[in-house]
């Protein structure tokens, strides 16, 4: 497994950024096996997003992602979310959504031997990164065949129309207004996953396959259930799982393994 840290100038972010990559390219030499047998097809890819207060090192540090990437032959790219929910900050010029949903995909496809096929390209994440995967997987659905969302912080359900003084114990009204914009205009905007789904349906565009998982003791269970229920009402296929667990790496390690297995087996809902 090749591990790489890449620095490059991002036009979306208007500055140099870095991301970590795992690339299952360096296959061991197996006695008696010809070199031709070791030739590889272009790699599937997943753009894996960290949670709030985390960094681009979280998945490598706390999860089994290196082992799983090697087993399932996935290239894994891990950018930094910088507590911005992977949304575009147009006032500041930090277009996080455009960066992870479009620019990073195009840049890595030019740099590494990746499949160009939509069905071989995934976006995933946990908590804040789960929301980022849902939002940007839908907004840039032409790039992604699948979305993996674990314990997702789908906060529009909680903060839409919030008033000054609001706090959820993690962040407050000023923070949410800075990141999500005018909270009275949040519903129906491109930061609202429900609105993005409806826009894709209205255009007759393909909606990425969606895998969701959340612990039954997780403080974000309610918003995950809300989005699941919406998808089911709209007849959008979703593979959704709940099991005992809280908002921690014990849960995420179990479900990133199951999610990548789902991705590698054709992404059939509820199988």
């Amino acid at each position: 497994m090749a591990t790489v840290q890449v620095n490059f100038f991002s036009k979306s972010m208007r500055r140099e950024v870095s991301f970590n990559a795992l690339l299952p390219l360096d296959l061991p030499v197996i006695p008696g096996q010809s070199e031709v047998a070791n030739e590889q097809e272009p790699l599937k890819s997943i753009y894996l997003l960290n949670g709030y207060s985390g960094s681009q090192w979280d998945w490598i540090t706390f999860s089994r992602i290196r082992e799983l990437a090697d087993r399932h032959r996935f290239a894994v790219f891990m950018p930094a979310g910088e507590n911005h929910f992977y949304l575009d900050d147009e006032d500041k010029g930090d277009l996080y959504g455009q960066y992870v949903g479009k620019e990073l995909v195009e840049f890595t496809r030019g740099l590494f031997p990746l499949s160009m096929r939509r069905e071989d390209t995934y976006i995933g994440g946990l908590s804040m990164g789960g929301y980022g995967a849902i939002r940007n997987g839908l907004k840039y659905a032409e790039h992604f065949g699948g979305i993996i969302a674990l314990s997702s912080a789908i906060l529009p359900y909680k903060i839409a129309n919030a008033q000054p003084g609001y706090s959820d114990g993690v962040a407050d009204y000023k923070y949410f207004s800075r990141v999500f914009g005018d909270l009275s205009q949040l519903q129906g905007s491109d930061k609202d996953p429900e609105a993005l789904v409806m826009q894709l349906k209205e255009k007759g565009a393909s909606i990425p396959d969606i895998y969701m998982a959340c612990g039954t003791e997780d403080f974000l269970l309610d918003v995950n259930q809300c989005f699941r229920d919406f998808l089911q009402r709209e007849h959008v296929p979703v593979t959704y799982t709940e099991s005992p667990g809280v908002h921690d790496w014990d849960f995420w390690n179990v479900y990133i393994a199951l999610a990548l297995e789902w991705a590698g087996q054709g992404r059939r809902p509820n199988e």
Side-chain angles (χ1 to χ4, degrees):
M1 173 64 68
T3 60
V4 182
Q5 182 177 349
V6 179
N7 301 311
F8 78 105
F9 184 85
S10 165
K11 294 180 180 178
S12 299
M13 302 292 283
R14 299 199 301 190
R15 57 184 168 87
E16 186 174 283
V17 297
S18 67
F19 64 89
N20 292 329
L22 297 172
L23 299 153
L25 295 171
D26 46 342
L27 291 174
V29 176
I30 301 174
Q33 186 172 344
S34 67
E35 291 187 12
V36 175
N38 270 337
E39 291 182 359
Q40 299 183 63
E41 295 182 354
L43 295 169
K44 294 182 178 181
S45 57
I46 181 167
Y47 299 81
L48 204 51
L49 312 181
N50 63 268
Y52 184 85
S53 76
S55 76
Q56 69 193 64
W57 296 96
D58 283 10
W59 283 101
I60 292 176
T61 303
F62 301 116
S63 83
R64 300 166 50 204
I65 192 60
R66 178 170 174 165
E67 169 203 342
L68 296 168
D70 197 31
R71 180 190 305 172
H72 295 289
R73 315 307 296 168
F74 265 91
V76 183
F77 302 102
M78 294 157 283
E82 300 178 6
N83 284 5
H84 213 277
F85 277 78
Y86 305 92
L87 293 171
D88 296 332
D89 186 336
E90 295 179 355
D91 292 338
K92 189 178 178 183
D94 287 343
L95 306 183
Y96 289 89
Q98 180 175 293
Y99 166 53
V100 300
K102 183 176 186 292
E103 185 180 20
L104 190 59
V105 176
E106 294 171 349
F107 179 80
T108 51
R109 283 178 173 177
L111 194 61
F112 300 110
L114 305 181
S115 171
M116 303 291 182
R117 301 195 308 168
R118 175 180 179 269
E119 57 266 36
D120 290 337
T121 309
Y122 296 75
I123 188 168
L126 62 86
S127 194
M128 176 185 80
Y131 167 81
I134 291 170
R135 187 268 182 178
N136 292 302
L138 295 171
K139 183 173 177 63
Y140 298 98
E142 69 275 15
H143 287 153
F144 301 107
I147 296 169
I148 293 171
L150 309 181
S151 307
S152 301
I154 313 173
L155 295 189
Y157 288 120
K158 290 183 177 289
I159 64 174
N161 299 307
Q163 300 298 311
Y166 173 84
S167 174
D168 66 357
V170 176
D172 59 16
Y173 175 84
K174 289 184 178 180
Y175 168 80
F176 291 127
S177 296
R178 183 70 183 86
V179 172
F180 287 86
D182 185 346
L183 300 183
S184 69
Q185 303 296 316
L186 182 52
Q187 289 180 321
S189 74
D190 71 351
K191 302 176 182 70
D192 177 359
E194 290 194 5
L196 291 169
V197 168
M198 297 308 296
Q199 289 170 15
L200 290 172
K201 290 187 68 176
E202 289 167 6
K203 292 188 296 185
S206 295
I207 298 174
D209 294 334
I210 301 173
Y211 181 101
M212 298 178 66
C214 193
T216 52
E217 289 73 47
D218 195 308
F219 69 97
L220 292 171
L221 179 63
D222 57 343
V223 296
N224 283 264
Q225 292 174 333
C226 284
F227 191 55
R228 173 205 62 192
D229 293 347
F230 163 78
L231 293 173
Q232 291 176 343
R233 287 196 305 271
E234 293 299 325
H235 306 289
V236 176
V238 57
T239 297
Y240 179 89
T241 302
E242 288 178 12
S243 70
V246 296
H247 205 72
D248 67 9
W249 283 100
D250 287 338
F251 184 87
W252 300 324
N253 263 312
V254 170
Y255 281 96
I256 190 60
L258 293 173
L260 288 178
E261 185 175 344
W262 165 85
Q265 293 181 348
R267 313 185 308 273
R268 293 294 182 263
N270 301 318
E271 289 186 350

